[in-house]
Amino acid sequence: VSDASGCSMVALLHTGATKFLQNLLSRARQAVSPLLLAGVLKGYSSIVSRKLASHSFGASMAAMSSFPPQRYHYFLVLDFEATCDKPQIHPQEIIEFPILKLNGRTMEIESTFHMYVQPVVHPQLTPFCTELTGIIQGMVDGQPSLQQVLERVDEWMAKEGLLDPSVKSIFVTCGDWDLKVMLPGQCQYLGLPVADYFKQWINLKKAYSFAMGSWPKNGLLDMNKGLNLQHIGRPHSGIDDCKNIANIMKTLAHRGFIFKQTSKPF
């Protein structure tokens, strides 16, 4: 039995059996040793625990008690890497486009979108860019253009059910640069439209400052340090940064924080 009535029946049997056992123990207390009684109780408790676990009751209750209800069904964690140099080159172009789909109830990663992007204005990556991001020339050569990647993002969003009007989702970034500056700026340069779902987001730095009372000057490194978390992967790897953002979000949610949109409407 896997529905709610099954769980109720298990609980009822548990209660009735407990009362019966208590009566039996009170009558047999003089005849049975305390050690034997302890063994009986331990064995019975173990059986009931296994029964409840078989109904996923314990797991579901743990998930419900660990995380308060969030305002969104899904959080879409995003972190671009772009062409760069010292002094900075213009225009910058996105070269890594990762998104993690985070379940708003469990705060676990359910799906991943990850593509590298061929830059067209400055197709040759600078040594500074490769050193900073870990992205080498061969990782972007022959990859889809930004326009093609955006089309694939839209296909992925549809496949994941994220375009359903009844499903509430929002992007999450470490700062406002990704969706306030980088994507709209490059799309304007290339004459590409920006999908509406990219026009609202949560800045994790602001969320962290609301939750912890201090501004993370060094971004993910400060947030991981403030929450006693180990940094995942390589700094300035887009996909690794997304994993760090997701881990920080899960930790804050576990502490009772409710995430809210921080960007202003376009």
Side-chain angles (χ1 to χ4, degrees), residues 41 90 106 134 201 207 250:
L41 287 171
H90 298 283
T106 64
W201 63 89
K250 182 177 180 179

Side-chain angles (χ1 to χ4, degrees), residues 137-148:
Q137 192 66 40
M139 295 167 71
V140 297
D141 284 344
Q143 294 302 309
S145 66
L146 179 64
Q147 179 177 359
Q148 293 170 321

Side-chain angles (χ1 to χ4, degrees), residues 4 31 65 99 102 108 118 146 150 166 177 207 256:
S65 62
I99 307 172
L102 204 64
E108 297 292 343
Q118 170 75 62
L146 179 64
L150 289 173
S166 65
W177 175 83

Side-chain angles (χ1 to χ4, degrees), residues 74-75 77 99-104 106-113 156 232 239 242-247 250:
Y74 296 101
F75 297 103
V77 179
I99 307 172
L100 299 180
K101 178 187 176 188
L102 204 64
N103 186 299
T106 64
M107 303 304 284
E108 297 292 343
I109 298 168
E110 287 194 352
S111 182
T112 301
F113 178 92
W156 178 78
I232 299 170
I239 190 65
C242 284
K243 292 175 183 177
N244 281 286
I245 292 171
N247 199 30
K250 182 177 180 179

Side-chain angles (χ1 to χ4, degrees), residues 98-174:
I99 307 172
L100 299 180
K101 178 187 176 188
L102 204 64
N103 186 299
R105 185 181 63 83
T106 64
M107 303 304 284
E108 297 292 343
I109 298 168
E110 287 194 352
S111 182
T112 301
F113 178 92
H114 186 212
M115 294 189 71
Y116 291 99
V117 190
Q118 170 75 62
V120 295
V121 182
H122 300 288
Q124 193 71 28
L125 301 182
T126 64
F128 175 83
C129 183
T130 294
E131 182 180 355
L132 179 69
T133 67
I135 299 173
I136 61 173
Q137 192 66 40
M139 295 167 71
V140 297
D141 284 344
Q143 294 302 309
S145 66
L146 179 64
Q147 179 177 359
Q148 293 170 321
V149 171
L150 289 173
E151 290 170 355
R152 297 190 188 182
V153 168
D154 202 66
E155 293 170 358
W156 178 78
M157 295 276 287
K159 179 176 69 73
E160 294 294 328
L162 297 167
L163 301 184
D164 184 335
S166 65
V167 175
K168 294 186 65 177
S169 64
I170 189 168
F171 279 89
V172 183
T173 58
C174 184

Side-chain angles (χ1 to χ4, degrees), residues 21 25 32-47:
L21 185 61
L25 290 175
V32 183
S33 72
L35 288 177
L36 181 57
L37 287 177
V40 171
L41 287 171
K42 182 177 180 181
Y44 177 74
S45 175
S46 177
I47 292 171

